[in-house]
Amino acid sequence: MTTTPATTGVGHRVLVGLRACWDWLGPRLRRALTFWRRSIQARVVASTVVLSAVVVSGVGWILLQQTRDGLLRHRAEVVLGEVDAEVADAQDRLEAASGREVNANQQQRDLVDPIIERGDSRGYAVVLAGPEEEGGKLRAGGGEYTSGLDLVSVPAPLEEHFDGPQRPTAWTYTEIVRSRGTGSQARTTREPGIVVGSQVQLPSDGRTYTLYFLFPLSEEEETLALVTRALLTAAGLLLALVAGLTWLVTRQVVTPIRMARQVAERLAAGRLQERLQVSGEDDIARLAYSFNQMATSLQRQIRQLEELSWVQRRFVSDVSHELRTPLTTVRMASDVLHDAREGFDPATARSAELMQAELDRFENLLVDLLEISRFDAGAAVLTTENVNLADLVRRVVDAARPLADQRGIRVRVVEPPHPVRAEVDVRRIERILRNLVTNAIDHALADDPSEAVIVRLASDDEAAAITVRDHGVGLAPGEASMVFNRFWRSDPARTRTSGGTGLGLAIAQEDAHLHGGWLQAWGRTGQGAQFRLTVPRHAGGTLRHSPLPLVPDDDAPSAAAATAPLTAPLTGQGVVPDEERG
């Protein structure tokens, strides 16, 4: 089938129209869904109104059914009484005229005509059927039924009921069909009604005829419609009242909760002096009082911790600075002794070498403490430049190559074919990578040469990532969130080849946070560990994901179990962000 340009144009216009409708409707629908999810007051009001509507509908339907049944029952009683009176009156008239010489046709007209006239004046119709000895069927023509009435108004079951003489009076519901007007003005009307059948016997021929009385139910229908309108109006007003009352009641409960949420958010933002207003003595007031007590206690403890932290930072900073002067003097003396160690006896020469090595470690510790002090004081700043991270990785790996060769560890770099560029502080990123690579070499096992330390790089439009994977002792459950703590070691008794102060990973994570990035850890006992550094490609950018997985591919079947202990908040140490949890 060939698609014509006109058909294609119409389809395109339809798609454009649908897209425009969705562009207009989509944001509003999303805002409505967001409001529905966030507003407990809206959900409570809507649920109450829906349940109330169901209850009101059920009660209203029952009332309507009872009203309808009552109206019809009362109408049927009235109709049966009126029919009995009409039949008795007709029978009396027939008996009174039985002494005169009249034929059967004349008696039929004397019987039906007065009833039809009264029916026209009172609003009901009359049909004469019979005689029963000849089948009792309805016949059209003459004056045997009300003019304009359609004989289909008499139901066939009722007609079959009177298939013989001496049948009792019976009634049923029906639809009264009338023809009004003539020619082009003719029209047919239909209305519900009650049809009552009763038999009479003509004295002239002794035959039995059936009279059908058709009473309309228009008044009852109007009454039922009036009751229905009244119930609908009352139901609408009741639902509006219920909605208003529910809104007021829920507002009394939700408003203090919203105030508590706002105060809690301000407390979380650091405004520790915020408190809830307490009024009354009910449960809400007691909750506000307890909340204020909790906030006061937290404020006191936080201030104590802040003071302690300030004292600690000041102590570390002061000690670090004060130790640099005597360290310089000791370093000068140590250098003299170390240079002259060849003239000492072996024990003294070894002591000079040990002094030199420990002074190096002590000097590194002071440098790290001073760096930590700058982070704690908020004095650390970035000097960013757009660089290829692969160059930094290769430079760090080349610098760590002697240590790796000494341990018998292979270090392998896996990088993409394109440059991994990002705006970073080169000195700080190199320090992070140096810590990660040397730690990986220090913790790796040299028993299996195939299990090398692997450094991977990747990037996308928003972020760049570097992972360092070793196959060494690994991390026990829960330790991945502790490796970035200051002075923490997984095994304090284990000898360290590369030395270290216990502050390297803490400083590395501070450097990552200063870039607005993540430094995270994964590990399993006996299967090694992997550290991942993720930074935004552009300075000041926000991270939402990482181009590399935290759990290595060789442990993918155990990814869920591996990330189980890494569920602390992002402000913790070495954790998995919410968007990357499995």
Side-chain angles (χ1 to χ4, degrees):
M1 179 178 179
T2 303
T3 303
T4 63
T7 304
T8 304
V10 171
H12 177 70
R13 286 194 295 272
V14 170
L15 290 177
V16 171
L18 291 176
R19 188 178 296 110
C21 291
W22 175 250
D23 291 340
W24 181 86
L25 182 62
R28 290 166 174 79
L29 185 60
R30 284 192 292 271
R31 285 196 296 269
L33 292 176
T34 301
F35 175 75
W36 174 261
R37 289 195 305 268
R38 293 183 177 179
S39 176
I40 187 175
Q41 187 175 7
R43 293 199 301 271
V44 170
V45 172
S47 301
T48 304
V49 170
V50 170
L51 293 176
S52 300
V54 172
V55 173
V56 169
S57 299
V59 173
W61 183 81
I62 294 174
L63 290 176
L64 284 177
Q65 291 298 317
Q66 291 180 346
T67 303
R68 175 179 175 275
D69 294 342
L71 289 173
L72 294 178
R73 186 168 50 251
H74 178 265
R75 181 58 174 166
E77 293 175 356
V78 172
V79 165
L80 289 176
E82 191 169 350
V83 168
D84 290 340
E86 286 288 352
V87 172
D89 180 67
Q91 196 68 48
D92 291 341
R93 286 188 287 102
L94 291 175
E95 292 178 355
S98 60
R100 294 181 291 167
E101 291 293 336
V102 293
N103 56 30
N105 292 333
Q106 183 63 39
Q107 280 195 338
Q108 291 179 21
R109 287 193 295 271
D110 293 342
L111 171 65
V112 175
D113 291 346
I115 299 177
I116 290 177
E117 292 176 1
R118 283 193 296 271
D120 291 337
S121 60
R122 298 179 182 179
Y124 61 84
V126 180
V127 177
L128 177 64
E132 300 303 333
E133 290 79 4
E134 296 180 0
K137 299 300 180 181
L138 297 176
R139 293 180 297 167
E144 296 178 352
Y145 60 92
T146 302
S147 176
L149 178 68
D150 195 329
L151 296 182
V152 297
S153 303
V154 179
L158 183 62
E159 188 178 352
E160 292 174 357
H161 173 75
F162 296 101
D163 57 357
Q166 298 181 353
R167 302 296 186 184
T169 301
W171 67 278
T172 187
Y173 297 110
T174 187
E175 184 180 48
I176 302 175
V177 182
R178 298 176 184 267
S179 299
R180 303 181 184 276
T182 58
S184 61
Q185 301 296 326
R187 61 187 180 90
T188 301
T189 61
R190 299 173 181 270
E191 58 181 337
I194 295 177
V195 56
V196 182
S198 183
Q199 291 183 334
V200 294
Q201 189 175 22
L202 293 182
S204 60
D205 56 7
R207 294 180 178 182
T208 302
Y209 295 81
T210 303
L211 281 171
Y212 295 100
F213 299 83
L214 293 90
F215 294 86
L217 294 174
S218 55
E219 294 183 0
E220 287 72 16
E221 192 176 32
E222 293 176 359
T223 303
L224 190 62
L226 178 62
V227 173
T228 302
R229 289 193 297 270
L231 286 177
L232 290 176
T233 303
L237 294 176
L238 180 61
L239 291 179
L241 180 62
V242 168
L245 291 177
T246 306
W247 184 81
L248 289 176
V249 172
T250 54
R251 187 164 184 256
Q252 293 179 356
V253 178
V254 171
T255 299
I257 296 176
R258 288 176 178 170
M259 294 176 60
R261 175 184 59 81
Q262 295 171 357
V263 172
E265 290 175 350
R266 289 193 286 268
L267 288 173
R271 299 166 59 180
L272 302 179
Q273 73 280 1
E274 292 290 335
R275 295 294 183 271
L276 283 174
Q277 183 179 0
V278 181
S279 59
E281 300 180 357
D282 54 11
D283 292 336
I284 299 295
R286 294 169 60 186
L287 176 62
Y289 179 75
S290 301
F291 184 92
N292 290 340
Q293 284 186 320
M294 178 188 68
T296 302
S297 177
L298 289 175
Q299 182 182 16
R300 182 170 57 253
Q301 296 180 25
I302 290 173
R303 285 179 176 174
Q304 291 175 354
L305 291 175
E306 287 178 345
E307 293 174 358
L308 179 61
S309 177
W310 181 84
V311 171
Q312 179 185 8
R313 292 196 301 269
R314 184 62 182 268
F315 173 78
V316 171
S317 178
D318 292 345
V319 168
S320 302
H321 282 89
E322 293 298 329
L323 286 178
R324 292 185 68 86
T325 300
L327 179 62
T328 302
T329 304
V330 174
R331 164 66 71 181
M332 293 173 62
S334 175
D335 290 341
V336 172
L337 293 175
H338 187 266
D339 292 340
R341 69 184 183 281
E342 294 180 356
F344 299 155
D345 59 88
T348 304
R350 179 58 180 163
S351 297
E353 292 175 354
L354 290 175
M355 179 184 294
Q356 187 76 2
E358 292 304 316
L359 280 174
D360 289 339
R361 286 194 61 191
F362 188 50
E363 193 171 27
N364 291 333
L365 177 61
L366 282 180
V367 171
D368 289 346
L369 286 175
L370 288 173
E371 188 68 19
I372 286 290
S373 299
R374 281 191 287 270
F375 281 121
D376 290 340
V381 295
L382 289 177
T383 304
T384 62
E385 54 182 301
N386 195 331
V387 298
N388 185 3
L389 296 182
D391 296 338
L392 303 185
V393 170
R394 286 192 292 269
R395 188 157 62 232
V396 170
V397 170
D398 291 340
R401 191 80 64 186
L403 176 62
D405 294 340
Q406 180 184 351
R407 292 290 312 276
I409 303 296
R410 294 189 306 113
V411 181
R412 184 159 57 95
V413 178
V414 180
E415 56 181 290
H418 55 82
V420 181
R421 306 195 67 86
E423 296 177 2
V424 297
D425 188 321
V426 174
R427 180 180 66 88
R428 296 182 185 278
I429 294 298
E430 281 191 352
R431 181 165 58 189
I432 296 174
L433 296 176
R434 185 166 55 250
N435 270 288
L436 298 182
V437 172
T438 55
N439 281 346
I441 295 173
D442 191 42
H443 290 80
L445 299 177
D447 300 336
D448 187 358
S450 63
E451 300 292 347
V453 172
I454 302 174
V455 183
R456 285 187 172 86
L457 297 91
S459 65
D460 56 20
D461 294 339
E462 298 181 357
I466 302 172
T467 60
V468 180
R469 171 79 160 106
D470 67 73
H471 298 82
V473 295
L475 296 172
E479 290 184 350
S481 60
M482 302 171 62
V483 293
F484 300 99
N485 292 345
R486 299 175 184 181
F487 301 107
W488 184 87
R489 289 186 182 181
S490 61
D491 185 5
R494 183 174 54 81
T495 60
R496 300 177 60 91
T497 303
S498 60
T501 63
L503 294 173
L505 288 178
I507 294 175
Q509 191 182 56
E510 294 292 346
D511 284 333
H513 287 171
L514 198 61
H515 284 82
W518 304 329
L519 182 58
Q520 301 153 295
W522 167 91
R524 298 194 67 182
T525 304
Q527 298 184 24
Q530 177 163 290
F531 287 78
R532 181 181 68 180
L533 170 66
T534 309
V535 294
R537 290 194 58 188
H538 305 285
T542 302
L543 288 181
R544 295 180 177 86
H545 66 281
S546 178
L548 290 174
L550 178 60
V551 180
D553 296 336
D554 54 9
D555 197 71
S558 305
T563 57
L566 311 180
T567 55
L570 189 56
T571 55
Q573 308 291 337
V575 299
V576 181
D578 292 339
E579 61 271 14
E580 298 192 25
R581 293 180 188 165

